[in-house]
């Protein structure tokens, strides 16, 4: 081998350790970079939503003031008792059910503080057909009660679709749960007249029970709102218990009514009594006619209707309402068969 060939071989041998050192440094550098990288984060797990979890929120809270709606949802209320009622062995399992909501302002304690809170309540009516297609509108300030079709207040019974079925076509589902829904947009409220707006606050789902004499038929009281300056006179007159002359004189003694308004007031009360008696008579006649025309199937359905009232269950995120539960639903529905 020539001298030139020996020098080249020698240079190659010397270059090997240097190349190995460079490769070693690169590997060390890569190792350091790997060690310096952040550890992989643990995967996040989200709790599966319950199938009927949003049911209570989908039900319109009838009669709640519009500016109080946001306050109703300020707490993370839990209606798992309502959801459980639709499970096997539950009160509502396998039954056709109509749900409407309402709110009950109550003084309750939460996290050491007592305050008045709008408690959401859901009423479930077990019935083969809608329990009503009408709404009652009444308040102390209104002279007369109104019973009007739900649709006039943009309310109607619509099927509730459970979460697991929302990808299905609605018309293929045989829904057993119907909820009272209101399509009045809150954004459009500012365009409504005050009287129309107030009607929503005085709404109550109206229920006609043909086998039970209506409270209005039994009542002998009339609400009196006598228009007089400087302010109207608000009172109740019972035509069986009150004597009109004495009733009027008492208002004059209490300086609620001026002496020169006495005769006008008496005539006003007499007219209101005549109107109330006429309404009672017409209601009795309508109920009698309805019973005569009702099929046996419909009679059985009315007799077997059941009303269940659901309050939210106690959780760390919401107040305990167990001490303020009440069976009364409203003046049309009376008391619930059971509170849950």
């Amino acid at each position: 081998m020539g001298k030139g060939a020996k020098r080249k071989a020698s240079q190659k041998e010397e270059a090997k350790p240097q190349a190995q050192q460079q490769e070693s440094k690169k590997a060390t550098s890569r190792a350091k970079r790997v060690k310096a990288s952040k550890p992989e984060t643990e995967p996040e797990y989200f709790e599966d939503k319950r199938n009927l979890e949003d049911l209570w929120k989908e039900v319109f809270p009838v009669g709640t003031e519009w500016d109080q709606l946001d306050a109703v949802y300020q707490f993370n209320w839990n209606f798992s008792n309502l959801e459980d009622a639709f499970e096997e062995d539950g009160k509502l399992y396998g039954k056709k059910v109509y749900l409407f909501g309402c709110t009950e302002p109550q003084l309750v304690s939460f996290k050491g503080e007592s305050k008045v809170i709008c408690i959401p309540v859901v009423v479930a009516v077990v019935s083969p057909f809608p329990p009503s297609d009408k709404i009652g509108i009444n308040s102390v300030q209104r002279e007369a009660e109104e019973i009007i079709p739900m649709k006039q207040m943009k309310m109607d019974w619509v099927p509730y679709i459970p979460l697991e079925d929302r990808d299905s076509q609605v018309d293929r589902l045989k829904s057993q749960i119907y909820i009272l829904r209101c399509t009045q947009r809150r954004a459009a409220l500012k365009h409504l007249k005050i009287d129309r707006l107030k009607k929503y606050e005085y709404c109550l789902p109206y229920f006609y029970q043909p086998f039970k004499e209506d409270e209005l038929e039994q009542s002998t009281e009339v609400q009196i709102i006598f228009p007089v300056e400087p302010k109207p006179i608000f009172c109740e007159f019972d035509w069986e218990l009150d004597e009109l002359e004495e009733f009027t004189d008492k208002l004059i003694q209490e300086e609620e009514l001026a002496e020169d308004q006495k005769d006008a007031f008496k005539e006003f009360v007499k007219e209101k009594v005549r109107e109330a008696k006429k309404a009672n008579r017409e209601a009795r006649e309508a109920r009698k006619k309805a019973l005569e025309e009702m099929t046996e199937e419909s009679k059985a359905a009315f007799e077997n209707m059941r009303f269940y009232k659901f309050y939210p269950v106690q959780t760390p995120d919401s107040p305990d309402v167990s001490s303020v539960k009440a069976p009364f639903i409203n003046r049309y529905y009376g008391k619930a068969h059971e509170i849950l």
Side-chain angles (χ1 to χ4, degrees), residues 100 102 104 123 204-209 212-215 307-309 326-339:
F100 67 86
C102 57
E104 297 180 358
V123 177
L204 293 173
Y206 177 78
F207 174 65
Y208 175 64
Q209 173 53 279
K212 181 181 178 183
E213 192 172 24
D214 193 281
E215 182 183 331
F307 302 89
Y308 299 93
K309 191 176 182 184
F328 190 69
I329 300 172
N330 66 39
R331 60 185 299 241
Y332 303 120
Y333 283 75
K335 293 181 179 180
H337 291 96
E338 193 169 341
I339 303 175

Side-chain angles (χ1 to χ4, degrees), residues 185-202:
R185 293 184 301 112
R186 292 178 70 180
L189 293 176
K190 59 185 177 183
H191 302 299
L192 297 181
K193 292 181 179 179
I194 294 296
D195 185 61
R196 170 75 175 178
L197 189 62
K198 287 291 182 184
K199 279 186 177 182
Y200 281 97
E201 299 175 11
Y202 304 135

Side-chain angles (χ1 to χ4, degrees), residues 2 14 23 28 58 67 85 96 103 109 115 128 135 139 156 205 212 238 250 257 264 326 334 340:
E14 288 175 359
E23 287 297 321
T28 304
E58 293 294 310
D67 59 2
K96 200 168 191 176
T103 52
S109 178
K115 60 180 179 179
I135 286 286
S139 74
D156 203 359
K212 181 181 178 183
D238 190 315
K250 186 177 180 182
L257 179 70
L340 297 154

Side-chain angles (χ1 to χ4, degrees), residues 121-329:
V121 177
V122 177
V123 177
V125 186
V126 176
S127 171
F129 49 73
S132 176
D133 62 352
K134 292 181 173 59
I135 286 286
I137 302 174
N138 197 11
S139 74
V140 175
Q141 290 79 18
R142 300 181 73 85
E143 287 189 25
E145 178 183 44
E146 285 185 84
I147 307 295
I148 62 174
M150 283 182 176
K151 291 185 178 179
Q152 279 190 25
M153 301 303 292
K154 296 189 175 182
M155 297 184 201
D156 203 359
W157 301 104
V158 299
Y160 169 78
I161 312 301
L163 292 173
E164 65 183 20
D165 296 326
R166 289 185 186 172
D167 292 332
S168 306
Q169 290 186 359
V170 175
D171 57 355
R172 292 184 179 179
L173 296 171
K174 294 182 179 179
S175 181
Q176 289 287 91
I177 306 174
Y178 291 82
I179 58 176
L180 189 62
R181 176 74 58 79
C182 179
T183 58
Q184 173 63 55
R185 293 184 301 112
R186 292 178 70 180
L189 293 176
K190 59 185 177 183
H191 302 299
L192 297 181
K193 292 181 179 179
I194 294 296
D195 185 61
R196 170 75 175 178
L197 189 62
K198 287 291 182 184
K199 279 186 177 182
Y200 281 97
E201 299 175 11
Y202 304 135
C203 280
L204 293 173
Y206 177 78
F207 174 65
Y208 175 64
Q209 173 53 279
F211 301 105
K212 181 181 178 183
E213 192 172 24
D214 193 281
E215 182 183 331
L216 289 174
E217 295 177 38
Q218 300 176 27
S219 175
T220 57
E221 288 185 350
V222 286
Q223 299 282 339
I224 304 296
I225 306 176
F226 184 59
V228 63
E229 295 296 336
K231 65 176 183 177
I233 296 173
F234 295 88
C235 57
E236 289 183 355
F237 179 79
D238 190 315
W239 67 74
E240 285 193 353
L241 300 178
D242 296 323
E243 201 282 316
L244 184 55
E245 186 73 23
E246 291 179 4
F247 187 87
T248 308
D249 287 341
K250 186 177 180 182
L251 287 175
I252 294 171
Q253 290 171 10
E254 294 173 350
E255 298 184 351
E256 292 285 329
L257 179 70
E259 181 72 43
D260 61 357
Q261 293 284 339
K262 180 175 180 178
D263 291 340
F265 177 79
K266 287 169 65 176
E267 285 304 314
F268 186 85
V269 173
K270 287 177 183 177
E271 179 60 28
K272 291 301 175 184
V273 169
R274 282 192 290 269
E275 290 175 3
K277 286 182 176 180
K278 181 183 177 182
N280 286 2
R281 183 173 62 254
E282 289 176 350
R284 282 193 295 270
E285 290 170 357
R287 186 169 61 87
K288 182 179 178 182
K289 184 181 178 182
L291 277 172
E292 290 171 352
E293 296 175 353
M294 193 176 293
T295 64
E296 291 301 317
E297 185 181 5
S298 295
K299 287 179 182 178
F302 273 108
E303 289 173 341
N304 293 323
M305 272 187 191
R306 288 294 178 268
F307 302 89
Y308 299 93
K309 191 176 182 184
F310 291 84
Y311 283 86
V313 299
Q314 185 181 5
T315 69
D317 299 325
S318 61
D320 178 12
V321 302
S322 58
S323 62
V324 295
K325 290 182 179 182
F328 190 69
I329 300 172

